[in-house]
Amino acid sequence: MKKYSFRILLAVSCFLVAHFSLIAQDNVLEELEEIAIIDQKIMMPMRDGIRLATDIYRPKTDKKVPIIFSRTPYNFNSWGDGEQRTRTASRALAAVKRGYAYVVQNERGRYFSEGEWDILGVPLTDGYDAFTWMKDQAWSNGKIGTLGCSSTAEWQMAVAALDHPSHAAMVPQGFGAGVGRVGDINEQGNWYRGGAEQMLFISWLYGVEHDKFKPRIPEGATQEDLIRISRFYDLAPENPPVDMAEALNHLPIQDILKNINGKHEIFDKMVRRKPNDEDWFKGGLYHDNMEIGVPSFWFASWYDVSITPNISLFNHVRNNAKDKEIRDNQYLVIAPTLHCAYTRATENTIVGERSVGDARLNYDEQIYGWFDMWLKGEENGFKEKTPRVQYYTMGSNEWQASETWPPEDAKPTTYYLNSDGNANSSYGDGVLSTRKAGSDNPDGFTYDPMVPVPSYGGNVCCTGNAVKGGAYDQQQMETRNDILVYTSDVLDEGVEISGFIESTLYVSSDAKDTDFTIKLIDVYPDGRAYNLDETIQRVRYREGYDKEVFMEKGNVYKVDLTPMSTSNYFKKGHRIRIEVSSSNFPRFGRNLNTGGNNYDEKVGVVAHNKVHHSKEYPSQITLPIVVK
């Protein structure tokens, strides 16, 4: 009897939640209809005749208004139920209340938009043509600002490089998958890190890519037709649920989507591209040879998948834009959250399982202050009252401000790896010290790609149930013998580390190729060990991504890993730790150690890897310690 009562109570509760959610959605739409002119399913023409489905919400006024433009591969059909419907209406309502038109558009080939889809909504001319169409509307004041997070942000940078005169300002958030190459960082839109595959795109494409045999709207469908049928047909595929933790284990990598009956046309072509393939430079990615001429308010997160390239892009534009006014109008916010989770910060923000305190910020106020300045021409004091860089320091749990990144008072301090040759696991003798080691007592471990080190927490996105994002206690992980652990002495006073973390390892192996990973850890007095950031380097790319140089047994090689980034206060009594291994799976694809393509291989080779540390081989990590 009690079992049935519980089921009835659960069913009633679910009904009530759904019911009141629908009421909230309807209230938002009703309020929007009162103050806005709503024009949906406008088919905006591109230069090649393809039409893109567009919804416009604009104030009921005779005055010309500026535009906030959101271009996305995701569904924004306002007639369906659920979160997306409310999100679009809420964003439109917020913009219209502030005197803006809100325009949302699907990339070509997505939902009601015509054409064939590719990642980042190429061709780039679609973005340019959309700007031209919008600025020519009778109700437009000719000023357009772009806004969005993740895939709704990542297209913005390359299109900004086209320098449309109406693109007056942009607010890219969680934008790393739009960054191809910035300086020495060659992630190619998060496809790689240090030349190793990032597995997130496999999971993301399974949930996002539409089948080439999908239903299509007949050519020439009128706006009236599209509005009518959009009430009945969402065109959103409903993919069968997949245990992505299991799916990503499949080998070879190139067959993972095929193995789960996923759509794999885009994946098939991208998985074969090496980090410096010329095709990366033909799509929608931004590369550092492209000139951004748009004032930009960037938003990034410490536990996002691409924090280092995100900040590096801000620095690149800030330091290298040809126009001094553009250099002077770059601003950055770094929050202590997961991917695109800025507004989810609370009085007690939990990221993974670590509390980072009250991480709230007045995001909307700042974003609209930015747009008011650039799209309306308001003299609102934004630049006087907004720091150049706003960053959250975990540990001390506070927002801080700086004119630069890293902060000007961050001093690079080098710590060296030391041991007597047994740094394996947290039970070993690995030490992190400002003193160089003397004679070489290398730490060796066995890396078996069939039994990789599992990803636990981290700076991730979009991997389904395969990886938990955020900070998690690594103590249990650190009992593995294939993880080398190097820990500082107990800190006599607190230390703030804010900036880029550079690391160099001197390594050897009996395999032709392998990977090396590093993880930065904050160790609490009770032993809890929370991860801050992580990186990886495929050794074949140690001399650059334009060539592959394999290892020979018995030789020692210098490997510079791609930088990590964080802002964390290590309190008195804490310790600083790094972990070194050769896998972090499925965060990164495991190297099968053969020297082959990796993506098309099933059978791996066990590698016996060593990390050397001595005066001759000073394996090290450089920490930006803030001196106040």
Side-chain angles (χ1 to χ4, degrees):
M1 184 68 180
K2 288 182 179 178
K3 183 188 293 184
Y4 290 115
S5 297
F6 174 75
R7 288 177 177 174
I8 291 170
L9 180 61
L10 181 63
V12 171
S13 299
C14 291
F15 169 78
L16 290 174
V17 168
H19 175 68
F20 286 113
S21 295
L22 288 173
I23 290 175
Q25 293 169 2
D26 290 339
N27 288 343
V28 170
L29 286 170
E30 287 176 7
E31 186 176 359
L32 188 57
E33 288 171 350
E34 289 180 3
I35 66 170
I37 298 169
I38 301 174
D39 207 358
Q40 295 179 314
K41 296 296 177 290
I42 293 174
M43 299 303 285
M44 190 183 293
M46 301 293 103
R47 64 185 62 185
D48 61 357
I50 292 294
R51 304 181 305 163
L52 305 186
T54 309
D55 287 0
I56 298 174
Y57 307 82
R58 56 189 178 87
K60 292 179 177 178
T61 177
D62 293 332
K63 296 181 179 179
K64 295 179 181 291
V65 296
I67 297 167
I68 294 175
F69 181 43
S70 178
R71 184 165 169 259
T72 181
Y74 298 126
N75 189 18
F76 59 81
N77 188 357
S78 64
W79 294 107
D81 295 335
E83 183 183 357
Q84 184 63 49
R85 178 189 186 213
T86 307
R87 186 185 301 134
T88 300
S90 297
R91 289 172 178 167
L93 180 62
V96 171
K97 280 183 172 180
R98 290 173 170 87
Y100 291 92
Y102 181 75
V103 179
V104 57
Q105 180 180 86
N106 267 140
E107 295 172 356
R108 66 168 56 204
R110 301 295 290 175
Y111 302 98
F112 288 86
S113 286
E114 297 171 346
E116 300 298 327
W117 181 69
D118 204 346
I119 287 178
L120 298 177
V122 292
L124 295 181
T125 52
D126 282 359
Y128 195 96
D129 292 350
F131 292 150
T132 298
W133 187 94
M134 288 185 286
K135 67 101 174 169
D136 286 341
Q137 300 309 297
W139 45 264
S140 169
N141 77 349
K143 298 288 186 181
I144 300 167
T146 50
L147 172 67
C149 195
S150 193
S151 290
T152 311
E154 292 149 3
W155 65 276
Q156 294 183 42
M157 289 84 73
V159 173
L162 299 180
D163 200 24
H164 193 287
S166 287
H167 194 189
M170 64 179 180
V171 182
Q173 303 168 313
F175 50 90
V179 183
R181 180 195 64 206
V182 180
D184 293 332
I185 299 172
N186 256 49
E187 290 201 1
Q188 305 301 12
N190 297 162
W191 197 271
Y192 288 102
R193 168 72 56 81
E197 306 93 349
Q198 300 200 66
M199 303 292 278
L200 71 95
F201 263 109
I202 302 173
S203 173
W204 185 78
L205 280 168
Y206 176 77
V208 169
E209 188 174 354
H210 292 182
D211 199 283
K212 62 183 178 181
F213 297 112
K214 68 176 183 178
R216 295 174 184 268
I217 303 300
E219 286 187 19
T222 67
Q223 182 183 11
E224 181 182 9
D225 290 332
L226 294 170
I227 291 173
R228 177 175 53 81
I229 63 174
S230 69
R231 296 172 183 251
F232 305 101
Y233 302 101
D234 202 58
L235 300 186
E238 197 168 313
N239 294 335
V242 164
D243 181 350
M244 201 55 67
E246 179 182 347
L248 294 180
N249 269 294
H250 183 81
L251 289 173
I253 292 174
Q254 68 179 14
D255 290 342
I256 290 177
L257 283 178
K258 182 179 179 181
N259 188 55
I260 56 176
N261 297 313
K263 288 80 68 180
H264 50 86
E265 290 82 11
I266 289 177
F267 175 73
D268 285 348
K269 68 180 182 181
M270 296 183 77
V271 75
R272 290 167 173 78
R273 294 182 191 169
K274 294 183 178 181
N276 207 43
D277 192 297
E278 63 181 15
D279 283 343
W280 293 118
F281 299 86
K282 297 177 181 177
L285 289 173
Y286 169 85
H287 302 283
D288 57 11
N289 62 343
M290 302 163 73
E291 179 70 18
I292 286 182
V294 177
S296 309
F297 194 10
W298 311 88
F299 285 79
S301 306
W302 289 132
Y303 283 96
D304 201 352
V305 68
S306 50
I307 182 60
T308 292
N310 282 4
I311 301 175
S312 297
L313 177 54
F314 162 78
N315 279 347
H316 172 74
V317 181
R318 175 99 175 94
N319 297 325
N320 297 292
K322 294 178 182 177
D323 188 331
K324 183 180 183 299
E325 184 178 1
I326 297 302
R327 293 197 302 272
D328 290 344
N329 286 290
Q330 304 297 316
Y331 287 78
L332 173 67
V333 172
I334 316 173
T337 60
L338 298 172
H339 180 69
C340 289
Y342 311 104
T343 57
R344 297 174 197 168
T346 65
E347 290 180 89
N348 182 30
T349 304
I350 308 293
V351 186
E353 60 184 18
R354 182 192 188 195
S355 171
V356 295
D358 187 350
R360 293 174 296 178
L361 191 69
N362 57 339
Y363 294 106
D364 287 347
E365 179 183 333
Q366 292 193 37
I367 289 170
Y368 278 101
W370 176 256
F371 281 143
D372 289 345
M373 178 175 64
W374 291 108
L375 306 186
K376 294 181 178 179
E378 291 185 5
E379 296 182 4
N380 56 11
F382 175 92
K383 297 177 70 171
E384 290 73 27
K385 62 188 179 185
T386 307
R388 175 77 60 189
V389 179
Q390 299 169 80
Y391 65 98
Y392 195 84
T393 301
M394 300 171 288
S396 60
N397 298 345
E398 60 181 338
W399 282 102
Q400 299 201 77
S402 175
E403 181 62 22
T404 64
W405 189 263
E408 292 176 346
D409 50 4
K411 306 302 180 186
T413 304
T414 299
Y415 282 74
Y416 298 94
L417 281 56
N418 286 270
S419 81
D420 288 329
N422 182 29
N424 307 76
S425 85
S426 56
Y427 301 113
D429 59 9
V431 174
L432 196 61
S433 169
T434 54
R435 178 183 58 84
K436 283 186 182 180
S439 58
D440 190 23
N441 294 303
D443 295 305
F445 62 95
T446 299
Y447 163 47
D448 183 349
M450 298 301 105
V451 192
V453 173
S455 304
Y456 187 55
N459 312 67
V460 300
C461 166
C462 317
T463 51
N465 68 328
V467 185
K468 295 179 179 179
Y472 286 87
D473 185 1
Q474 305 294 308
Q475 286 184 91
Q476 185 61 40
M477 296 281 296
E478 292 171 348
T479 63
R480 293 176 60 117
N481 279 330
D482 55 356
I483 297 178
L484 305 180
V485 178
Y486 303 90
T487 309
S488 74
D489 291 338
V490 173
L491 297 172
D492 293 330
E493 57 183 28
V495 172
E496 180 187 328
I497 293 175
S498 292
F500 297 114
I501 295 101
E502 308 279 352
S503 47
T504 298
L505 298 178
Y506 289 83
V507 304
S508 60
S509 178
D510 61 358
K512 290 179 62 177
D513 184 46
T514 194
D515 295 342
F516 281 91
T517 64
I518 282 187
K519 192 178 291 184
L520 179 65
I521 308 286
D522 184 348
V523 184
Y524 282 52
D526 62 4
R528 284 177 294 161
Y530 289 123
N531 51 296
L532 296 170
D533 199 2
E534 58 204 359
T535 192
I536 191 169
Q537 185 64 42
R538 188 147 290 175
V539 179
R540 70 172 73 179
Y541 295 118
R542 66 190 179 278
E543 297 183 15
Y545 297 102
D546 57 344
K547 57 183 175 180
E548 298 179 353
V549 184
F550 296 103
M551 296 185 290
E552 295 181 6
K553 186 177 180 179
N555 290 347
V556 178
Y557 300 96
K558 179 184 178 183
V559 177
D560 295 314
L561 285 85
T562 56
M564 298 180 285
S565 301
T566 197
S567 179
N568 187 76
Y569 183 74
F570 294 77
K571 294 180 180 178
K572 178 181 178 180
H574 287 222
R575 291 177 292 165
I576 303 168
R577 173 177 291 167
I578 66 164
E579 297 174 6
V580 179
S581 192
S582 286
S583 53
N584 181 347
F585 176 80
R587 168 78 172 86
F588 303 109
R590 47 198 154 155
N591 194 332
L592 298 182
N593 300 329
T594 67
N597 289 326
N598 209 60
Y599 64 78
D600 59 0
E601 298 177 297
K602 287 185 177 182
V603 180
V605 173
V606 173
H608 300 93
N609 296 338
K610 291 182 179 179
V611 173
H612 299 256
H613 39 76
S614 63
K615 289 182 179 179
E616 183 181 4
Y617 303 126
S619 290
Q620 62 191 256
I621 184 167
T622 301
L623 303 175
I625 294 179
V626 175
V627 179
K628 294 185 178 180

